[in-house]
Structure formats: C-alpha cells, structure tokens
Amino acid sequence: MNFGVVVFPGTWSDCDFHYVISEVLRQPVRYVWHRDRQLDDFDCLILPGGFSYGDYLRAGAVAGRSPVVEALPEFVAKGGLVLGSCNGFQILCEAKILPGALMRNECLQYRCQSTHLRVENAETPFTRLMRPGQILKMPISHGEGKFYADPETLRRLRDQKQIVFRYCAEDGRVVKEANPNGSLDNVAGVINEEGTVLGLMPHPERASENAMGGTDGLLIFHSLLGSLVEDGSFLKR
Amino acid sequence: MSGAEPKVTLDLALASGLTGEEYDRIIRRLGREPTFTELGLFSALWSEHCAYKHSRIFLRGLPTAGPAVLQGPGENAGIVDLGGDLALAFKIESHNHPSFIEPFQGAATGVGGILRDIFTMGARPIAVLDSLRFGPAQDPRSRRLIEGVVSGISWYGNCFGVPNLGGEVGFAPEYAGNPIVNAMAVGLVSKTRIFRARAEGPGNPVFYVGAKTGRDGIHGATMASATFDEGAEERRPTVQVGDPFTEKLLLEACLEAMETGAVLGIQDMGAAGLACACSEMPARASMGMEVELSSVPQRETGMTPYEIMLSESQERMLLVAARGREEEVRRVFAKWELDAVQIGQVTDDGTLRVRMNGAVVAEVPVKALTDDAPVYDKPTAPPGWQDALAAFDPLTLPAPSDCSETLVTLLGSPGIASKAWVYRQYDQQVGINSLVMPGSDAGILRIKGTGKAVAVTTDCNARFVYLDPRAGAAMAVAEAARNLAVSGARPLALTDCLNFGSPERPEILWQFKEAVAGIAEACRALDIPVVGGNVSFYNETLGQAILPTPVIGMAGLIDEAERRRTQWFEQEGDRIALLGPPAVSLGGSEYLWVMHGKMAGGLAPLDLQLERRVHEACRAAIAAGLLRSAHDCSEGGLAVAVAESCVSGPRAIGAAVELPDDGRRLDLALFGEGPSRVVVSMRPEAERHFERLMGEFALPWTWLGRVGGEAVNVRRGGETILSVPLEKLDHAWRHGFERHVA
C-alpha cells in the first residue's frame, strides 16, 4: 500500500506519520508537496497535523484551497483513501470534503493531553479491525478542535453512522467531563458518506508505539492495510 | 553620509544608553565623532545585553571544556557529543524585560529566539523548556502575566512544532515587577554538519534570509539593559512581534539550504538585529563585511539606515554562502516562499561598511564593536541584609500543630502543586520522541535509531541563592544534575541563564560574583562543563531587584532508553528508601515561606563529593534495573517528595513511611530541605542487591517504608505523626495551581 504524507508550509506531524508508516508499519511512503496535483501513485493520503500556512485565518482555511486539496475529490473518486488528523481534519472540513466545522476549544486554550475515544462505527476501511464500542487511547494537541454541525447535518451524520469516534471516559461513558474541547455530541472523528475520507482531531501517529504510551493508533493503520487485502474497492483505480 | 540624520552629541549618546566614558572611548577608537548610524551600532553592541560588560570577568571562571564538548560558549548554542554521528545543541536565554512589557509577544519571541539559536547551528529543535517566575500568585497582575506568558509560549512553540518538555514555575513578591521568562531549546545535529556564525572568505556573498524588516523591536537590546520605572508600558514598541509560521518555514529552508553545502556560516538576527550579525560574524573570522541596506527586504517604507540596522524584527538570519553557489541558496528559500537577498559580501579589511543607496553611512572596525567593547570590573559588596538573614533560626517559630494539614497546604501551594494547567497548553509530543513528558523530575526524549535517550531539566531555587548566593547557585547545579541522575542520565553539560538586578549596585554584583563562583565549584566537582548561556541584568523595577535567579538548564544522556526512570511510585508493596545525608534545614524552605511568610535562615550544608556519589549510586541502581522510581527530594522536603511520588503518576498510590527517631522537631524532619537527597522505590526482591550497591558507594541512606494503601502515613518512634487520605492529597496537588492562579 502506497502512502503519501501531504506537507503544507507549517505542517509538523508529517515526519511523525512518515516515521510510523515506514519504521513501524514498514510500508512505502513518500511526502507530497502542497503544490502537487499528481496523486495517482498513492493508495492512501495522510493530511497531518500542524499549522498550515500558520492558520492565521481559520485553522485549515488556506490549506483547504491549496492545489493538493483541490485534487483530493478526484483522488477519492478513483478509490483513494484519505486520513486527516488534527490540522488535516480541519483542512478537510474547510474544503467541505467532510461535513461540519472545527471551532476554537471551549476552554479557549490549547489542549495537549491523552483522550479516550469510543469507536462508533467499526465498518469503515479505517476501523474495520476495531470492535464497535471499543475504547481507544489517543492524544490530542490542538486549539481549534470543537466540532460543530447544524442540527440537520448532525442528525444525518448520526443516521448514516458517519460519526466514527467520540470522546469518552476511560470506562467508555460518553460524558461532558471526557470532552476535551467542547465538541458537539463529543464528536472526535467523522467520515464522509462514501466511507473513504476520515477526519479526526486525535493523533494516531502518537499512539503507535509502546514507548510513546500506547499502540491504539496502529489499529487505524492496520485496518487500512487490512482493507487493502480484503477489499479491492480502492484497488480498482 | 545622509544629511537628514540628527547630529551626534554627548547628550544623544547618553540618551541611547552609553555612558560619557564609553562615548569618549568610541571617539578615541574611531579618531572622530561617530555618525548617527554608528552611534546606534555602538549603543546596541556595547549594551550589557550584547557585550556582557559587567559579567564577562566573572564568567571567565566557569569551566567550559570536557570530553563531550564539541562547541563551548561564544556561539549561538553549545554542542555536546551523543556518540556516533549525533550531537546535541542546546541553550537557554532570557526574555524577561519584553515579557513584562508585553507578556504574550515577549514570551513568544523568547521561544522564537532560542529556537533560531539552535537551528543556526544546523540542528533540528527537538524540545523546549521554560523557567518562569512571577509575583505572588493571588495578585491579579501576576495572573495577567502568567496567562499572557503561558499562552505566548504555547502559541509560538505549538505553531512552530516543537514539544515542550518541562521547566519550572515559581512565585515570589520580588518578581512582581519583573517576571522571569527563560526559554531553553534543545536540538539534534549531525556532528559532520555543525554550522557556525562565522563570515569566512573574502568575496563570499552575504545573504539576508527570512522575514522582512520593520520598525519593531528597535533598541530591544538597550531596553533589556536598563531597569524599569513607572513608564514601562511606554516601551511596548521595543518588543518584537513573533510569527511562528515564518519561523517554521525559516527552519525548514535553513536546514535544506545547509544540506546543499552552499552555506558557510549563519547567524540569527536576534538582539540588535543586523548590527549584531554584521559585526559578530566577521569578527569571529577576523574578516570584514560590506552591506547595502537598500537591498534589505523591508515591510515599511522610509526606514533609515539606523532603523534597518537596529530593527529586531523576528524570523531573520544572516547567511554567508560560497561564492558561485548563490543560486542554490535562492532556490531553497524560494521553495519555502521566503526572501533570500544578497545584501553584501565578506571583506578582508576587518571593517563593517554599511551603505545606503551607495553612500557609506557607517564604517567601523568590527573588533571595535565586538572584542573592544568595554569590560568592567565594578565594585562588589555583600548586602547589609545578608548576615541577619543567615542568623535567623526557623526553629524559634512555633511548630505546626497538625503536620497532616501542613502537608496538604504545601502540596496545594502554587510552587509545589501540579503544573498541568501550564503544560497542557503546550504540545509535548510532536516529533514522537517524548518518553517522559512534563511532570517528572526531567523530560526524556528518545534519539530515534540509537536506543539512547536524552534527559533535560531546568532548575533554580532562588530563595537559596538569595540567602547564600554561592551555595545556592551550587545547589542549583547539583539539583539539575540530580534530576538527571534520578532519571537514569549522565549529565553532559549545562547552559545557564543568570537573572539578576542591576550590576551597577555593588550588592547585586556581589550576588552575581558569588553565584557564578558557586556554579563553577559545582561544575568542577560534578564534572559538568558550561557550554553557553545568557546574562540578564537590570531585572529591577522601581529599585526592587528580583531574587538572584541563576537558572541551570542541563542535558544528559541515558545509554539505554529502556532503563529510564520516573518519579512516581508504581506498585503496592515496593520498598521505599532515602539516599543521601540526613542534614536538612528549614532556612529558605518552601515550608517557611508558605506557612510563615518568611525567607530567612541558613541552608543545609552542600557536600559536592557526596552529591556526586549519590548521583553515581542512583545511576548504578537504575542501570542495574533495581529501581522502580527515583525522585529528587527538594522543595517541601521529605514529606512532600514522598507525597509527590504518590500522586504524580498515572495512578495515585499511598505510602507508609517510618522516620528515624532522631528527636528532631517534626517540621524540620518532615519539611526541612537539604541537597543530595533522593527518594527511591524498588521491588522487595531487589532489596539485597540494592543494599550491597549502596555499601559499595559508601553512601548514607536509610529504608523509609513501603508503597501502598489509601493514605500517606508517616510514623516516628511508634507514633503516627502524619496521616492524610490519598484522595485529599491528590486533590490538593492536582488543583492547587489552578485554585491560586487561574
């Protein structure tokens, strides 16, 4: 499976994703510059964390209009998968590839901490190795991660099982105290209708080695790799 | 020369921070009156901030050599060998003055400046740490400063993409008008690709790279070389404005340009901007430099040569490239959408020649600006208050009626309570190297691909330094080294940030002299060289000087990352021991301050040879896999150290401790502070091996008790002297900072 890690000016989780994919998963991976539109070589693109273009406008607003992001819909239409984490999620929302918006954290401060996530949909290419209701531990690091969607959109997201992860307590209860940023309905990650583009605020690449405090993030990568083997849908390109 | 510039007079020289004597010296050196631009150059480069004129003669006493040292003081950062191809660059710097005037931008640009110091050396920053001091926590003005400083650090470091691995936050009334904001950065560099701030080779092009120049921060270095009066807010224009995004681009572009081999030397334009870079770079190589200021990328119109030379606009570098390879440099910076403009070249005449549209506006020997800056040997005198402070006996105060309540109060005091409120605002993991994040004695980073790890810490107990500058400063070095030892690391070198009041006052300069001597003594005894640092004088407002605060930043190596240790207890039934001497004092203790509002008394003795043995024994026990946890016993004494080991881990766990029945007053036994002490825990099976090992090191030590239970219990002579439910301690410690500060 060929991974591409997209680099915008101001991206900083690029090297971390690259490291996990190449050194932990031993999969082929290359960096993709933000000006590139040629994405045919890749099976899965990662939009990593960081402050693309400084995020001096809304987080992800400028990157959401960059050449590489403009090329994403075609990439996805051809069967490619996209994983956006942190700033990547913000960019995908800004580009309207994913529904909703990510607003300033309710506490008005940046938050870097460990969080627990409940798996709400284990039938996506990104989560197929997880159990529904499984609890994952993954850190967050952001100032603008409060998910918002209008009531109708939220209802649709629920109905279509597009909410993939929700912040929860260690024991799995989805409660206010476990919500680190004030996200609507504790939403931590959502997927597009086709199930090919996942965005989440937490950092799976920071939870992919025991030395880093846990390996729950690997479940996402292994699901992706498993999807490739079992399901040819995005090999059709 | 430009006709529009003001006439240079003695009054103008005085107004720009020079003394009459210094002005005469400039005239003698040049053989004429300086031009307006030249006066600006001298006022900046001869400022205390750039020239270290009051401190230099004392700093000469610091040991700077050692087997691991690849770069000592005098460059943008010090560098130590990590073995193999890798080396570690690190440095600490102050941004106190700007942070008082404008806390958010002041602290943010402090982080930006220290990061540039690291990547100019060719190193990729892998961590920052921050040592902060404020006035009393309950004072609303302190709260405003804390919020501003922490969010400034958070904003800059997070956007740039460097993890924050620790530091300190302390409080004392003396910092109310002068907070301390020291930032340390650490970077990883290939030994074969270390860059230095030298302008070599006549004819080589000089490039200006990075952000454009504006009128911000003009005279920042001069501002940082004076005390504050009531009008401090008016100096807001001397504070620079940071742009962490541009800094991130500058990092990537600089490292990529260095990779091409076209870069020969590079210096950050920090304090005193172009003036400093254009004179220090050629001075280090005994060269000269010519620059044309109309070529400097500017974001404002009508800037004068004086303003362009002295602007402290951030995120800029001066770079000397190899002649003929200019295109390679331009191409890299164009990719990152940054300016890279040739503004001049290296010359061999030892002169800095500054032109504006072809006309020479300054022509000064670079050595006159740098090496020939004045060095003062000013009078020092012990302050009148020193003896009375030391003579105070804390045991003349009443003993606490309830030691349990005292422990809860101490654990919840802002100096001791968890600093999670601060560090959860900082990214602690980007780079995925953070093995131990803030909240233990030292931050620990793995070095990918080597199995090794680096431990980093900053330390200073300023109360100790105030009461006994020499011993207190030595204790700061000892504590930093101890924090590394308890993590399993061997110290490689240190960087110091010496924050003091006005050196023009003999008693302040005495504090400085004594503190530097104390650092030197400890460095020699513990074999830790000083590879760089920063002096920040004039930390005074309306005549109130800060406590003398020589912050020690230290980095150490753990050969096997797997063997690292943290400070918290982990397992019920583990045995607890105390390494080190029994001697403690309530003089200068956290207890004395929190419970009695006093800062006085004598310090416990520091035996540096014993200190060293404690570190060695600790490392040996960790390397042998005997210890489950190890924690430096410092502020708050033994009771607080044990309680911290109980509550600071991922899971709170109790402890039962039995103190030796030595008849000491309970407050002294529980909360007395002394150097060279470490609280460790281990599996019961490790006991015998541990006892043998301690015997080999001929160390004073004692068994203390066992980990476990739902409380912290302390007994002495068969009697319970302290007992607090774990939940209560945990709550006090976890919420204490926020309760006082937020």
Side-chain angles (χ1 to χ4, degrees):
Chain A
M1 184 165 193
N2 285 309
F3 285 91
V5 175
V6 179
V7 183
F8 300 95
T11 296
W12 42 235
S13 285
D14 46 346
C15 303
D16 299 353
F17 273 104
H18 194 282
Y19 178 83
V20 168
I21 295 167
S22 63
E23 301 298 317
V24 181
L25 297 164
R26 302 278 171 196
Q27 294 295 315
V29 55
R30 276 195 293 128
Y31 290 113
V32 182
W33 190 234
H34 63 114
R35 294 186 183 286
D36 292 353
R37 292 173 189 273
Q38 178 49 271
L39 305 173
D40 290 346
D41 295 347
F42 302 103
D43 300 303
C44 178
L45 282 179
I46 312 276
L47 270 60
F51 284 65
S52 51
Y53 300 93
D55 281 346
Y56 289 138
L57 193 54
R58 295 180 313 275
V62 180
R65 286 141 186 87
S66 62
V68 69
V69 172
E70 282 172 5
L72 283 183
E74 196 193 327
F75 171 75
V76 173
K78 286 184 183 170
L81 294 177
V82 177
L83 172 66
S85 158
C86 191
N87 195 221
F89 186 16
Q90 295 164 338
I91 292 167
L92 290 169
C93 289
E94 280 289 341
K96 306 235 184 306
I97 294 172
L98 287 176
L102 293 152
M103 298 160 60
R104 185 110 193 256
N105 291 351
E106 202 152 74
C107 62
L108 302 181
Q109 288 177 348
Y110 198 93
R111 276 289 178 273
C112 178
Q113 64 184 65
S114 178
T115 62
H116 289 95
L117 307 176
R118 197 171 81 180
V119 180
E120 303 290 348
N121 181 351
E123 288 158 19
T124 79
F126 305 87
T127 57
R128 56 193 305 156
L129 293 185
M130 303 169 192
R131 285 175 284 104
Q134 186 174 352
I135 299 152
L136 312 179
K137 202 172 122 198
M138 237 179 266
I140 57 160
S141 185
H142 59 249
E144 299 179 31
K146 176 182 170 180
F147 183 81
Y148 178 80
D150 61 69
E152 196 187 318
T153 306
L154 189 68
R155 201 175 321 118
R156 204 175 62 238
L157 291 178
R158 283 199 196 115
D159 291 348
Q160 302 182 358
K161 297 189 78 176
Q162 284 178 255
I163 298 169
V164 177
F165 299 115
R166 292 166 85 202
Y167 298 108
C168 68
E170 202 173 349
D171 59 9
R173 287 174 303 120
V174 177
V175 289
K176 188 169 180 287
E177 302 78 68
N179 186 339
N181 52 26
S183 276
L184 194 61
D185 208 23
N186 283 37
V187 169
V190 299
I191 198 160
N192 62 348
E193 281 182 42
E194 296 75 23
T196 49
V197 180
L198 174 72
L200 77 168
M201 283 317 293
H203 287 264
E205 82 286 8
R206 297 184 183 186
S208 292
E209 296 165 275
N210 278 320
M212 292 295 110
T215 56
D216 286 354
L218 279 184
L219 286 173
I220 292 183
F221 297 106
H222 284 146
S223 293
L224 281 167
L225 295 173
S227 302
L228 178 78
V229 177
E230 296 168 28
D231 175 357
S233 64
F234 63 97
L235 279 179
K236 277 184 276 179
R237 299 190 279 142
Chain B
M1 312 246 166
S2 171
E5 298 195 323
K7 185 175 158 41
V8 174
T9 61
L10 174 61
D11 284 346
L12 192 62
L14 296 176
S16 54
L18 292 161
T19 66
E21 201 183 308
E22 286 167 351
Y23 183 57
D24 288 343
R25 198 177 160 134
I26 293 168
I27 292 174
R28 277 203 309 278
R29 185 70 173 77
L30 296 180
R32 59 178 168 81
E33 299 258 328
T35 67
F36 182 61
T37 305
E38 287 167 350
L39 182 71
L41 298 180
F42 278 104
S43 87
L45 279 147
W46 285 18
S47 71
E48 187 62 44
H49 190 84
C50 291
Y52 291 82
K53 51 193 175 185
H54 286 91
S55 61
R56 200 177 278 195
I57 62 160
F58 302 112
L59 298 175
R60 285 176 188 149
L62 294 170
T64 58
V69 177
L70 300 178
Q71 176 65 58
E75 272 287 340
N76 282 306
I79 299 187
V80 289
D81 197 340
L82 292 177
D85 173 50
L86 291 173
L88 196 72
F90 65 101
K91 170 117 185 262
I92 192 167
E93 209 160 69
S94 65
H95 236 217
N96 308 339
H97 289 78
S99 300
F100 178 56
I101 300 174
E102 213 306 281
F104 182 90
Q105 286 295 343
T109 52
V111 175
I114 197 66
L115 286 169
R116 283 194 300 285
D117 281 338
I118 298 306
F119 66 83
T120 49
M121 306 296 296
R124 179 172 283 276
I126 54 171
V128 290
L129 299 93
D130 301 279
S131 185
L132 312 176
R133 302 287 187 289
F134 301 99
Q138 56 276 14
D139 183 340
R141 286 172 304 171
S142 302
R143 289 214 286 270
R144 178 190 147 264
L145 287 170
I146 294 165
E147 283 183 18
V149 165
V150 171
S151 53
I153 292 169
S154 157
W155 174 67
Y156 205 102
N158 295 348
C159 182
F160 177 83
V162 62
N164 196 302
L165 257 274
E168 316 158 87
V169 188
F171 303 90
E174 289 80 0
Y175 300 111
N178 246 108
I180 298 281
V181 178
N182 292 174
M184 172 171 163
V186 184
L188 203 57
V189 60
S190 158
K191 257 189 259 179
T192 54
R193 206 168 275 137
I194 293 172
F195 285 80
R196 290 186 169 82
R198 296 167 66 91
E200 303 271 12
N204 279 327
V206 174
F207 274 89
Y208 170 112
V209 301
K212 296 186 196 314
T213 295
R215 286 194 173 87
D216 50 333
I218 291 172
H219 273 309
T222 315
M223 173 268 291
S225 304
T227 60
F228 283 139
D229 47 32
E230 279 128 341
E233 286 80 9
E234 290 165 22
R235 303 199 199 176
R236 211 165 272 158
T238 57
V239 179
Q240 314 86 340
V241 177
D243 175 0
F245 170 58
T246 299
E247 177 109 331
K248 165 73 172 164
L249 301 186
L250 189 61
L251 161 77
E252 300 300 342
C254 285
L255 294 185
E256 205 171 309
M258 289 165 171
E259 195 82 16
T260 64
V263 179
L264 300 178
I266 179 165
Q267 174 156 348
D268 155 42
M269 285 192 252
L274 266 172
C276 188
C278 291
S279 39
E280 285 186 359
M281 283 191 77
R284 286 196 187 95
S286 296
M287 288 286 137
M289 190 177 280
E290 280 185 355
V291 291
E292 166 56 58
L293 296 185
S294 61
S295 306
V296 169
Q298 294 160 50
R299 65 176 133 83
E300 295 184 57
T301 52
M303 286 185 73
T304 66
Y306 181 98
E307 290 171 327
I308 296 170
M309 287 303 283
L310 293 189
S311 163
E312 294 189 5
S313 290
Q314 299 286 290
E315 294 92 22
R316 307 177 300 158
M317 298 268 192
L318 198 68
L319 178 159
V320 174
R323 191 161 34 160
R325 303 188 65 176
E326 292 84 350
E327 253 338 282
E328 293 172 66
V329 173
R330 287 197 189 97
R331 202 176 308 126
V332 171
F333 283 87
K335 174 187 164 190
W336 292 98
E337 298 173 42
L338 290 172
D339 281 317
V341 179
Q342 187 181 341
I343 61 164
Q345 60 273 321
V346 180
T347 63
D348 60 2
D349 64 358
T351 299
L352 169 62
R353 199 168 291 106
V354 182
R355 289 195 172 86
M356 184 68 160
N357 298 314
V360 174
V361 293
E363 192 164 21
V364 191
V366 292
K367 299 270 185 195
L369 291 165
T370 54
D371 300 5
D372 298 348
V375 174
Y376 293 134
D377 185 3
K378 290 284 171 114
T380 67
W385 63 73
Q386 208 70 38
D387 289 346
L389 279 178
F392 175 76
D393 179 5
L395 294 177
T396 56
L397 296 167
S401 54
D402 182 348
C403 290
S404 301
E405 273 311 307
T406 305
L407 176 60
V408 174
T409 305
L410 280 175
L411 265 197
S413 70
I416 287 179
S418 162
K419 305 298 184 293
W421 182 90
V422 175
Y423 60 71
R424 73 185 180 197
Q425 300 186 49
Y426 304 150
D427 193 317
Q428 303 150 43
Q429 283 180 299
V430 59
I432 46 172
N433 297 315
S434 307
L435 298 175
V436 177
M437 292 186 275
S440 191
D441 284 316
I444 304 182
L445 295 151
R446 68 173 170 186
I447 306 299
K448 288 188 191 109
T450 67
K452 298 178 190 175
V454 164
V456 286
T457 181
T458 67
D459 292 285
C460 177
N461 185 325
R463 277 197 295 264
F464 289 177
V465 185
Y466 179 70
L467 294 176
D468 184 341
R470 185 180 287 242
M475 284 183 187
V477 175
E479 185 181 348
R482 208 180 313 128
N483 282 331
L484 298 188
V486 297
S487 308
R490 183 168 38 85
L492 292 169
L494 68 80
T495 174
D496 53 7
C497 201
L498 308 173
N499 308 276
F500 288 77
S502 165
E504 292 161 37
R505 286 166 55 191
E507 64 271 24
I508 299 289
L509 201 57
W510 177 82
Q511 288 178 334
F512 183 81
K513 178 185 81 170
E514 288 291 299
V516 171
I519 292 171
E521 270 171 32
C523 285
R524 289 208 171 82
L526 302 174
D527 266 335
I528 305 171
V530 179
V531 293
N534 170 232
V535 177
S536 173
F537 278 134
Y538 299 100
N539 290 285
E540 293 195 17
T541 294
L542 298 170
Q544 172 65 61
I546 57 162
L547 297 180
T549 315
V551 174
I552 304 298
M554 201 180 285
L557 186 64
I558 306 176
D559 290 322
E560 288 177 77
E562 299 295 306
R563 296 279 184 188
R564 69 187 178 271
R565 287 295 89 184
T566 43
Q567 70 177 34
W568 42 83
F569 297 146
E570 291 181 351
Q571 189 60 51
E572 300 253 344
D574 279 0
R575 294 212 69 185
I576 306 169
L578 172 67
L579 312 193
V584 289
S585 167
L586 288 175
S589 66
E590 191 74 19
Y591 163 84
L592 199 61
W593 177 253
V594 172
M595 304 309 288
H596 296 282
K598 278 190 95 67
M599 176 176 56
L603 308 182
L606 170 65
D607 175 344
L608 285 165
Q609 288 315 315
L610 175 59
E611 180 80 50
R612 187 183 171 133
R613 289 212 305 285
V614 169
H615 301 180
E616 285 166 356
C618 211
R619 277 192 294 272
I622 290 171
L626 299 180
L627 301 186
R628 194 108 70 177
S629 74
H631 182 26
D632 166 36
C633 186
S634 53
E635 282 94 340
L638 181 59
V640 165
V642 168
E644 284 173 341
S645 287
C646 290
V647 298
S648 62
R651 182 176 68 98
I653 186 164
V657 165
E658 176 90 31
L659 293 187
D661 196 4
D662 54 13
R664 286 193 287 190
R665 217 168 84 167
L666 285 182
D667 49 357
L668 179 63
L670 289 168
F671 309 116
E673 298 176 17
S676 324
R677 288 151 60 91
V678 172
V679 173
V680 301
S681 72
M682 73 202 78
R683 284 186 308 278
E685 309 84 76
E687 266 181 47
R688 303 292 289 279
H689 191 165
F690 177 77
E691 285 175 348
R692 216 164 43 238
L693 194 67
M694 292 305 109
E696 283 170 27
F697 283 94
L699 215 59
W701 74 279
T702 175
W703 288 116
L704 274 185
R706 277 185 195 281
V707 176
E710 290 302 311
V712 172
N713 279 305
V714 182
R715 291 164 63 84
R716 190 170 78 169
E719 203 181 321
T720 297
I721 55 174
L722 182 158
S723 177
V724 191
L726 196 53
E727 204 175 318
K728 192 170 175 182
L729 280 178
D730 190 61
H731 187 269
W733 180 78
R734 219 163 279 283
H735 301 288
F737 189 87
E738 223 167 320
R739 193 161 51 83
H740 284 96
V741 173

